[in-house]
Amino acid sequence: MKKLNTILTINHFIDRSKKQYVYTSKTSEKLSVLEKIGYGLGDFAANLIFQTLLTFLAFFYTDVYKIPAGTASIIIFIGGFIGAFFNIFMGIVADRTQTKWGKFRPWILWTALPFGIGSILTFLTPNFNETGKIVYTLLTYFFLVLIYSANNLPYVALSGVLTGDMKERNSLSSYRFVAVMIAQFVIQSLLLPLVLIFGHGDKAVGFKNTMILFAVIGTICLLITFFTTKERILPSKKQESSVKQDFTDLSKNGPWLVMLLVTILVFITLSLKGGMYVFYFKYYLDPGAQTLFLNNIGFTAFIQDLNNKMISMGLVDFQWPKDAPTSAFSLFNAGGILFMILGILISKPFADTFGKRNIYISFIFLSATSLLFFNFYSRTAIEIVFLTQLVHGFIYGVTIPLLWAMIADVADYSEWKNHRRATATVFSAMLVGLKIGISIGGALGAAFLSKYGYVAEEINQVPAAVEGIKLSVSIYPGFIFIISAVMLCFYKIDKKMEIQIESDLRERREN
């Protein structure tokens, strides 16, 4: 017998004459770097679209497609809830999928192309009247959230069956979320400039061309994920459970209930503040102060040199826009993301030493505290705004891989307690929380704009609208993060229990 830290895997093949699964078992090596990178590319693909929705959907609907803010809020809210509860259906279906590729990998293959098509359609701007625009956005956004669920639920569930080693899951989450941060960097730092570049100043054309590019890249990445990963942890052949039994198990699973609430709160925060930052730079922070800051740090000179090189190469259509808020917003996001990556890199050793729960509680509370500071900065305090973003990015980055690793642990906890495994059902419930959080956060952002009197493209917004924008990136999200930290105090899978669950499940599978 190999060392106790080796894990059991289930290698299966199809008996083509009987059309049934035949199982053999053996101990496996740790996940290869290739498989971890391949798995991470799936989230890179998803986040090219997900981060665009999170950061720019309200802006796109109100300022580009010219839909009233209140209507945009309703569309985002309803569409998100439809996607949320479709995840439950997908969890049931994925757990009962049987193919030669496994349960979850085939869904990544089947949805890769439709996902790309849906992302393009959502960001087109056909010339309809207001009613036609509303109908079009409803249909395309609803289609995208359904396809996203069919793709992303099996993808996240896949992390729970690639390995049974909890430390390897921490490592896998780190690879995955470095890929997420790269996608987030591209979207939050480069998407708006790309929109202006590819659209020659026309944002509608720019969004269309940019999303076509992202759709092609995303489809290729999803195919790589499918071909480089392998499902190893499968339910026992003796396991029999109904849909009712799966959800009965969930209802009695205390850690799952806690993680569901935490997931909702976290994604309300991310969606709310993420979608409002673009308005914060455009309408709250002083444009002159932003220009001076960009000049002082050498960014303006760097961009001018870059544009001159583009012109000398004949690429006159590919010049960085000169708008100071666009550049400052892009740089603000870029700095935060780079420091998030640093936080992700130290997340695994922290979690291995102190346990995921304790580290998550500590760092999500510190992250909340850093957000609250944004409420007290003047419109000209650009330097301190950027410094706070760097600190916030690093602190929050530590928590990013832990959330999903903890959800995978909840699936193990369910198997440990109930002797039945329903990985996709556990993850589907968490994605319901994610979609509900995004829907509420995105809808709140658009609703706040409407409530506080925001007028699209109006240079001089009323003071109430400016104050509402500031509150939406500071006080509101900060307090929601604090509530999530308090909720996690009731999550009982600490470091000691992690070790016990892993040991017991290993012994059970070997037997």
Side-chain angles (χ1 to χ4, degrees), residues 49 111-121 144 147 211 215-216 219 222:
I49 310 306
T111 59
L113 184 59
F115 187 36
I117 293 172
S119 64
I120 295 171
L121 293 175
L144 179 60
I147 292 297
M211 296 313 293
V216 172
T219 300
L222 289 171

Side-chain angles (χ1 to χ4, degrees), residues 399-420:
T399 73
I400 290 173
L402 299 183
L403 180 68
W404 295 102
M406 290 163 72
I407 294 171
D409 292 350
V410 168
D412 281 353
Y413 175 86
S414 182
E415 180 184 356
W416 178 65
K417 183 177 180 181
N418 302 307
H419 293 261
R420 288 180 297 272

Side-chain angles (χ1 to χ4, degrees), residues 35 144 158 170 176 240 272 275 358 394-395 421 429 508:
E35 187 167 7
L144 179 60
L158 183 60
N170 292 346
R176 172 188 173 188
E240 294 181 5
L272 174 60
N358 294 342
F394 175 77
I395 294 171
R421 188 172 188 91
R508 190 183 299 172

